[in-house]
């Protein structure tokens, strides 16, 4: 029974939390209710048995426990209509988790993502809060994605929650006219959830990100960046079966068995990428999807069209000028024009991205290809020291060992 409850918590806790936030109107109340509900399940299910719909039971129990907690604290005055509402919630209908479809969003987690990405919060506060509270990513993982320290990121999340409470920002989905102001943050959340799922080999996170991207595409099918994001995730996810070895170690893209890639997903992703680039107003996600499509279409790594990829990175750098994009472009230049050309672009970026493990890792690979063994070893050691995920660290350690230094 403990294993069942623990498994449910891993798979469903954030979905239950999202629904409880909608029902209770508070992050803190919902978090307490979530833990109360799972505690009740661990106490009651061994003797009473597992309910037919355990997720609905957990939502209902959490909501009742929160109401009881509020009453004990004398912050909630019971009214006749509240009693009726509670009675109606005892036996939820099969569609209990869906909301009023009039706003066009029926999925509670996607609704809450839109809610958290409120324009009154800063971009990083919106995304950080949503990733932590709605998607369940650790503060450490989010800080790594933002390239900031964990304490600083934690403070941003605390301040964002306090601002929502102080400003009485409603837990509601914005209307169609207000969604564009939040869409950039929403797309970034979905992308970072997928990235974390891939990096940590957490299939549930990657699956959830693809699911949210499909829901967004259904909601906004004519928005090129929504189409581009879905294309990007589908194309990356198509390589899932080839990304790890039988021993569970990460396999770099150029070493993957391409016959294990999901061809149906590649066809879908390439079609979506083409549709995104054919629509006026495309941006960074559509361009990244086009790059992923070129990798997916190459029958072998040596057939990759690096000239086109560099051109797409040139466009991406204009749309989204950042050191990380410049680093990826530098690697592509190194594949097109040779490792020394790539190193000339990567070396200045090592100072700009001091805590980003991919920068010394890229420098190490280019030095290795250029025959600069001692420099490659130094860069590999620097990358290993910065790498958070064990699978990525193991690849770097293996390449360092292969240098024989």
């Amino acid at each position: 029974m403990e294993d069942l409850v623990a498994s449910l918590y891993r798979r469903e806790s954030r979905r239950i939390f999202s629904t409880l936030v909608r029902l209770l109107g508070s992050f803190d109340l919902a978090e307490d209710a979530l833990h109360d509900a799972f505690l009740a399940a661990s106490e009651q299910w061994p003797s009473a048995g597992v309910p037919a719909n355990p997720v609905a039971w957990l939502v209902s129990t959490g909501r009742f426990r929160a109401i009881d907690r509020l009453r004990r604290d004398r912050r909630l005055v019971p009214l006749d209509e509240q009693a009726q509402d509670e009675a109606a919630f005892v036996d939820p209908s099969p569609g209990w988790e869906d909301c009023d479809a009039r706003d066009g969003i029926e999925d509670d987690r996607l609704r809450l993502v839109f809610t958290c990405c409120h324009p009154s919060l800063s971009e990083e506060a919106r995304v950080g809060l949503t990733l932590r509270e709605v998607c369940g990513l650790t503060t450490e993982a989010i800080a790594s994605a933002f390239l900031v320290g964990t304490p600083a990121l934690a403070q941003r999340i605390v301040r964002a929650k306090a601002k929502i409470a102080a400003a009485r920002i409603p837990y509601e989905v914005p209307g169609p006219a207000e969604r564009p102001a939040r869409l950039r943050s929403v797309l970034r959340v979905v992308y970072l959830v997928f990235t974390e799922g891939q990096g940590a080999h957490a299939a549930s996170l990657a699956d959830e990100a693809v699911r949210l991207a499909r829901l967004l595409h259904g909601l906004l099918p004519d928005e090129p960046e929504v189409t581009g994001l879905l294309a990007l995730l589908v194309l990356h996810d198509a390589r899932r079966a080839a990304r790890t070895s039988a021993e569970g170690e990460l396999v770099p893209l150029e070493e993957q068995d391409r016959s294990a890639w999901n061809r149906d997903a590649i066809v879908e992703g390439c079609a979506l990428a083409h549709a995104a680039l054919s629509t006026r107003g495309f941006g960074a996600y559509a361009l990244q999807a086009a790059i992923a499509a070129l990798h997916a279409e190459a029958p072998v790594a040596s057939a990759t069209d690096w000239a086109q990829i560099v051109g797409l990175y040139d466009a991406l750098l204009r749309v989204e000028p950042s050191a990380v994009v410049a680093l990826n472009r530098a690697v592509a230049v190194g594949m097109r024009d040779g490792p020394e050309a790539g190193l000339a672009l990567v070396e200045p970026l090592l100072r700009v991205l001091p805590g980003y493990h991919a920068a010394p890792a890229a420098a190490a690979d280019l030095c290795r290809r250029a025959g600069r063994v001692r420099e490659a070893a130094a860069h590999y050691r620097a990358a290993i020291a910065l790498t958070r995920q064990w699978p990525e660290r193991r690849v770097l350690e293996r390449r360092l060992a292969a240098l024989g230094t």
Side-chain angles (χ1 to χ4, degrees), residues 168-189:
R168 298 178 180 250
I169 294 173
Y171 293 91
E172 62 185 19
V173 177
E178 299 170 286
R179 285 178 196 160
R182 308 190 190 195
L183 186 58
R184 175 184 170 88
S185 299
V186 171
L187 294 176
R188 191 176 180 198
V189 164

Side-chain angles (χ1 to χ4, degrees), residues 363-386:
D365 283 341
L366 289 165
C367 283
R368 173 177 55 83
R369 289 176 50 221
R372 294 158 60 170
V373 176
R374 294 185 63 180
E375 291 173 78
H379 286 308
Y380 277 131
R381 292 189 185 99
I384 289 166
L386 294 171

Side-chain angles (χ1 to χ4, degrees), residues 52-225:
N53 189 337
V55 174
W57 187 96
L58 288 162
V59 170
S60 180
T61 300
R63 182 172 182 268
F64 285 143
R65 294 292 176 96
I67 290 172
D68 288 343
R69 185 191 298 271
L70 285 169
R71 284 176 171 163
R72 285 197 304 272
D73 294 343
R74 296 187 177 182
R75 290 198 297 266
L76 181 69
V77 178
L79 302 172
D80 290 342
E81 59 264 33
Q82 288 174 338
Q84 292 172 358
D85 187 43
E86 292 172 30
F89 208 78
V90 172
D91 183 20
S93 64
W96 64 271
E97 68 271 34
D98 290 338
C99 302
D100 188 343
R102 286 177 299 177
D103 60 25
I105 303 177
E106 297 184 356
D107 181 83
D108 266 331
R109 189 176 293 189
L110 183 57
R111 286 172 58 96
L112 192 53
V113 170
F114 267 102
T115 301
C116 290
C117 292
H118 195 278
S120 68
L121 303 174
S122 71
E123 169 78 5
E124 290 196 350
R126 297 184 213 176
V127 176
L129 173 66
T130 312
L131 289 171
R132 180 70 191 93
E133 301 297 334
V134 183
C135 303
L137 269 63
T138 65
T139 307
E140 292 77 10
I142 303 166
S144 176
F146 283 145
L147 304 181
V148 299
T150 299
L153 192 280
Q155 282 300 310
R156 288 178 192 169
I157 292 173
V158 169
R159 287 195 294 269
K161 290 173 69 175
K163 184 166 186 176
I164 286 176
R168 298 178 180 250
I169 294 173
Y171 293 91
E172 62 185 19
V173 177
E178 299 170 286
R179 285 178 196 160
R182 308 190 190 195
L183 186 58
R184 175 184 170 88
S185 299
V186 171
L187 294 176
R188 191 176 180 198
V189 164
V190 176
Y191 175 75
L192 289 174
V193 170
F194 182 83
T195 301
E196 177 64 16
Q198 281 207 317
H201 296 276
S204 60
L205 280 178
D207 288 342
E208 177 64 7
V210 174
R211 187 185 73 85
L212 290 172
R214 290 193 185 281
L215 286 171
L216 276 169
H217 189 248
L219 180 69
L220 301 166
D222 299 324
E223 172 55 54
E225 280 297 82

